Amino acid sequence: MDLYDIPFRRKAVVMAAVMAALFLVALDQMIVSTALGTIVGEFHSYGSIGLIVTSYLLFSTVTVPIAGKLSDMFGRRPIILAGVSIFTLGSLLSGSAQSIEMLVLWRAVQGLGGGIITANAFTIVGDLFAPRDRGRWQGIIGSVFAIASAVGPILGGFLTDSHMIFGMETNWRWTFWINVPVGIVAALLIALRCPAIRREDRPRIDYAGATALATALAALVLAVDNTDTVFKGLIDQGWSLPVIQGALYGIAAVMIGMFIRVERKAKEPVLSLAYFKSRNFVVIMTILLLFGGAFLGTAMYIIQFNQQVFGADATQAGLMLLPMIAGITTTSIGGGWLVSKLGRYKWILGSGIVVSSLGMIAMMSLTASSPYWQEALCIAVVGLGFGVVMPITSLAVQNEFSQKDLGAVTASTQLFRGLGSTIGVAIMSGLLTAGITTQIAPLADHAYVQAVKRSPEAQQLLGDKQLDANTALNINQMQEVIAQRAHQGIQQAPVPANVPKAVATEKKEQALRQFDDQQREFHDTVVNAFAQSLHTVFLVSAGMLAAAFVLTLFIRELELKRHQEKRAE
């Protein structure tokens, strides 16, 4: 069956359904992040924020390469339909969770479905369209991530804060439930309109390879993402964090070795080692590793910059990302159209990486006193560069291989980009934390910190711990609540009977001014430390992008044809 000859209307319906499902997955990460504080507050489990995030990330990462291979074996329709169904069910159950443990479990189910969707969304473009025509659609799909990044914080903040919709009051559970109706519609459209591709021979599932790869990926993710939270029980028993991380890295290395050994003998390997004989495949996967870290690190820390420097809440911080989102959307669609028009992609990919690298260097000029327009200009340039990379890398990889391998090779692009994001953010977080910690060390005995320790709201953050970077940043975000409670405490403090009222009033006003001055001094010190340390993050990101550009020079460009050609096997 030649899928390229399917009527365009049917293709459009399928693509709309797939993009709706992918939008939910992309939206979920942004929308849920705004509700995390409210969620852990309701369950009185502030230490579980990391688990809620990691459970999803772990299962989605592990699922991607396996789902890609399964779709090559059993067809795209049943696999992506299973992904949408699992993700929708996980969303329903997450919103209905009655304990933090159940929420973490259902988030893992969501991650399983999300990984399946992510692995196959870009692949379906390769099924329905010839190489020359894929650029337009890959660009449109790429813009879905950008739009979700803009809508997520806004919608998440709206739903988490109580609002009435159809006579019902919203809360954090709606950030999960909102996925359900869209997921159901997407599943129905995929079931009815997505073409079926059946193999004539009986597939052989590579169970050993899938197990080895899944274990290696799981160990790697756990080693770099919220390790201290996931393994808190072991740490409390005396295990050191470096020992646990070292053990996880060791497990990952051993399982990768086993995976390579198994794949050499497997009849249908889950990730064929033959792919790595293609120079373009290796080069593009490396580019995606570097790009993944630079992309997610930039978005994450710009949001924190807006919250710390401009005092923005989650919704406002999301809105302030609109210049970058606009840039990504523009070049994602425009770049895809240009690739389809010219049939070439190498110089467009390289240009996008150069532009984003220059924008990253410009972001090193941002300080705690920078106006927002300066930030907006910088992130718009970064977005213009980023928008080109995601769709073109998928397109370039698909152009290297025949249709029977599209699922596995396209899923590989998502896997390596995801691994790059996970590892890159862990590295950047370490650099940022180290920089801030060094600069705020003198604040440990600051009078404001001692006053904050007496605030009930700060007990969850401080307790008996030393002041660290994350705690300092969180205290800054809570400064309005802390100030309100401190002012109330000072105003309501009892006055000795022998002290004249005017004197007592003057002393209270003096105490209020002193507290405000101390809070302002603490705030300015932390914000300046954050902004200066962020320069290191942007420098590392620019370096990663520069390395990615150099790698583009080694791509052997194959012209995109109007029909499918047999490529590397």
Side-chain angles (χ1 to χ4, degrees):
M1 181 182 182
D2 191 349
L3 299 182
Y4 302 155
D5 294 333
I6 291 175
F8 179 79
R9 179 178 295 181
R10 184 176 178 184
K11 290 181 180 181
V13 171
V14 173
M15 291 306 303
V18 170
M19 286 189 288
L22 187 63
F23 180 76
L24 291 181
V25 173
L27 182 69
D28 184 76
Q29 296 303 293
M30 301 303 297
I31 195 173
V32 172
S33 65
T34 62
L36 286 176
T38 304
I39 293 171
V40 296
E42 179 173 318
F43 289 125
H44 303 290
S45 182
Y46 287 85
S48 298
I49 285 182
L51 292 176
I52 297 172
V53 175
T54 300
S55 61
Y56 183 98
L57 177 64
L58 176 63
F59 278 81
S60 62
T61 301
V62 167
T63 303
V64 165
I66 299 172
K69 181 61 180 180
L70 289 176
S71 72
D72 283 336
M73 299 169 70
F74 298 100
R76 238 63 80 187
R77 185 171 70 180
I79 300 301
I80 196 168
L81 185 59
V84 174
S85 301
I86 293 170
F87 183 82
T88 303
L89 177 62
S91 299
L92 176 63
L93 295 173
S94 294
S96 305
Q98 298 302 310
S99 67
I100 198 69
E101 293 79 13
M102 295 308 297
L103 178 58
V104 170
L105 174 62
W106 301 135
R107 282 286 286 166
V109 173
Q110 264 194 309
L112 185 66
I116 296 173
I117 294 170
T118 303
N120 288 282
F122 287 89
T123 309
I124 286 181
V125 176
D127 287 336
L128 299 179
F129 301 94
R132 186 70 172 264
D133 298 323
R134 292 172 189 166
R136 298 184 183 92
W137 288 97
Q138 296 283 21
I140 293 172
I141 288 183
S143 69
V144 166
F145 286 93
I147 295 171
S149 298
V151 174
I154 302 170
L155 187 58
F158 176 82
L159 294 175
T160 302
D161 298 333
S162 296
H163 291 88
M164 298 301 294
I165 299 179
F166 301 120
M168 296 179 288
E169 186 176 1
T170 65
N171 54 39
W172 66 265
R173 297 180 185 276
W174 283 61
T175 62
F176 296 104
W177 288 337
I178 194 173
N179 297 331
V180 176
V182 181
I184 292 173
V185 173
L188 289 173
L189 289 175
I190 292 170
L192 295 173
R193 307 302 295 173
C194 187
I197 305 175
R198 296 184 179 89
R199 284 177 37 161
E200 295 180 359
D201 59 331
R202 183 177 180 180
R204 297 182 180 182
I205 299 177
D206 178 19
Y207 292 106
T211 301
L213 180 59
T215 305
L217 292 174
L220 186 59
V221 170
L222 291 173
V224 299
D225 187 71
N226 289 307
T227 312
D228 53 344
T229 302
V230 176
F231 295 96
K232 186 177 184 300
L234 290 178
I235 294 174
D236 291 343
Q237 293 177 21
W239 290 63
S240 69
L241 183 60
V243 169
I244 294 173
Q245 289 177 319
L248 290 168
Y249 285 127
I251 292 172
V254 169
M255 297 311 295
I256 289 174
M258 291 181 62
F259 172 74
I260 293 173
R261 182 177 180 182
V262 168
E263 297 303 271
R264 284 175 176 168
K265 300 178 181 179
K267 297 293 184 182
E268 293 195 49
V270 66
L271 182 59
S272 176
L273 300 181
Y275 299 159
F276 294 90
K277 295 179 181 179
S278 165
R279 186 170 87 173
N280 280 1
F281 181 84
V282 174
V283 169
I284 292 171
M285 293 305 114
T286 309
I287 289 173
L288 284 168
L289 275 172
L290 296 168
F291 170 77
F295 174 75
L296 189 59
T298 301
M300 179 183 297
Y301 292 120
I302 278 296
I303 288 176
Q304 285 196 20
F305 183 84
N306 291 336
Q307 291 174 326
Q308 293 293 329
V309 173
F310 295 107
D313 58 27
T315 302
Q316 293 168 336
L319 286 171
M320 294 170 77
L321 281 181
L322 285 178
M324 185 169 77
I325 304 307
I328 293 174
T329 304
T330 300
T331 52
S332 184
I333 296 174
W337 177 86
L338 190 60
V339 168
S340 291
K341 184 77 172 177
L342 301 177
R344 298 287 180 179
Y345 60 85
K346 181 177 176 178
W347 71 267
I348 300 174
L349 175 62
S351 299
I353 294 176
V354 168
V355 169
S356 57
S357 182
L358 293 174
M360 202 69 68
I361 293 172
M363 287 172 65
M364 294 176 61
S365 66
L366 297 177
T367 67
S369 58
S370 297
Y372 173 67
W373 66 261
Q374 182 180 346
E375 176 197 319
L377 182 61
C378 292
I379 63 177
V381 173
V382 170
L384 288 171
F386 279 168
V388 173
V389 180
M390 284 190 287
I392 291 183
T393 48
S394 295
L395 180 66
V397 168
Q398 289 181 351
N399 199 45
E400 292 291 312
F401 296 89
S402 60
Q403 187 163 350
K404 73 181 184 64
D405 292 315
L406 282 189
V409 297
T410 307
S412 296
T413 65
Q414 307 306 313
L415 171 64
F416 280 87
R417 183 170 61 84
L419 287 176
S421 297
T422 303
I423 298 170
V425 168
I427 294 172
M428 293 178 191
S429 177
L431 292 173
L432 182 67
T433 300
I436 296 174
T437 300
T438 300
Q439 296 185 57
I440 67 170
L443 293 179
D445 299 321
H446 195 275
Y448 176 69
V449 175
Q450 304 308 313
V452 166
K453 286 185 175 181
R454 296 190 292 271
S455 168
E457 287 75 15
Q459 288 303 309
Q460 292 282 359
L461 296 175
L462 277 170
D464 298 324
K465 297 187 304 181
Q466 295 295 320
L467 183 70
D468 58 22
N470 289 331
T471 304
L473 293 173
N474 286 332
I475 288 175
N476 255 11
Q477 287 187 264
M478 293 176 57
Q479 64 177 350
E480 290 186 9
V481 175
I482 293 173
Q484 182 181 8
R485 292 301 177 89
H487 282 212
Q488 288 178 352
I490 293 173
Q491 294 285 10
Q492 296 173 2
V495 179
N498 59 344
V499 176
K501 184 176 180 180
V503 174
T505 300
E506 175 60 29
K507 285 187 175 182
K508 286 184 178 182
E509 290 179 353
Q510 183 179 0
L512 290 173
R513 288 194 298 270
Q514 184 179 32
F515 177 85
D516 291 342
D517 289 342
Q518 292 170 350
Q519 185 180 56
R520 191 178 303 108
E521 181 182 0
F522 177 89
H523 173 271
D524 291 346
T525 302
V526 171
V527 167
N528 282 316
F530 176 79
Q532 292 176 23
S533 301
L534 204 56
H535 293 171
T536 304
V537 171
F538 294 147
L539 178 62
V540 171
S541 295
M544 293 167 70
L545 291 169
F549 169 73
V550 172
L551 287 172
T552 64
L553 303 177
F554 294 92
I555 294 176
R556 291 175 178 168
E557 186 175 34
L558 297 173
E559 184 179 359
L560 302 173
K561 303 297 183 182
R562 291 289 185 189
H563 54 84
Q564 177 71 17
E565 288 189 344
K566 191 175 182 180
R567 297 295 185 198
E569 299 294 341

